[in-house]
Amino acid sequence: EYDITINERDILGTQLIRRNDELALLYEKIKIQQQTVSAGEIAYREKLEDQRVLRLKLNALRRELHIQKASSSSLEALRTEVYTLQNELLQDRTKVKA
């Protein structure tokens, strides 16, 4: 009976060593997964910051576009006025020559 008990103890010791090895592997996998999640969270925050910066740039470009459209419409009015003034000048020069 003593030999049976010793044999069972040895078997249980071997099983315990295997379980400890499995547990160590699981902890290592958990550690790797936590590092992966951490890296993913950092990348996600960076992408959010990139998105925020791009939105700010987009808003600035939209404002610039609005300003340019407004100035181009006033430019068209100025072109019309220049054309009218050139015609008046031409008519006045024609009158002076006559």
Side-chain angles (χ1 to χ4, degrees), residues 9-43:
R9 183 200 64 182
D10 292 343
I11 291 171
L12 291 174
T14 305
Q15 288 177 350
L16 181 61
I17 290 171
R18 272 193 254 136
R19 296 293 185 255
N20 281 337
D21 290 344
E22 290 174 11
L23 187 59
L25 285 174
L26 289 174
Y27 277 126
E28 187 62 29
K29 287 180 182 180
I30 289 171
K31 180 180 172 185
I32 292 169
Q33 288 177 348
Q34 286 175 336
Q35 290 171 345
T36 303
V37 168
S38 180
E41 287 173 346
I42 290 169

Side-chain angles (χ1 to χ4, degrees), residues 44-60:
Y44 177 72
R45 284 193 296 274
E46 288 174 355
K47 293 299 179 186
L48 285 178
E49 180 63 19
D50 291 347
Q51 184 182 29
R52 186 186 70 79
V53 169
L54 288 174
R55 280 192 179 138
L56 290 173
K57 286 181 181 179
L58 178 62
N59 288 335

Side-chain angles (χ1 to χ4, degrees), residues 2-14:
Y2 175 77
D3 289 338
I4 294 173
T5 305
I6 296 294
N7 191 27
E8 287 179 9
R9 183 200 64 182
D10 292 343
I11 291 171
L12 291 174
T14 305

Side-chain angles (χ1 to χ4, degrees), residues 71-82:
S71 69
S72 77
S73 65
S74 64
L75 182 63
E76 188 60 38
L78 289 173
R79 282 187 182 151
T80 304
E81 186 177 349
V82 167

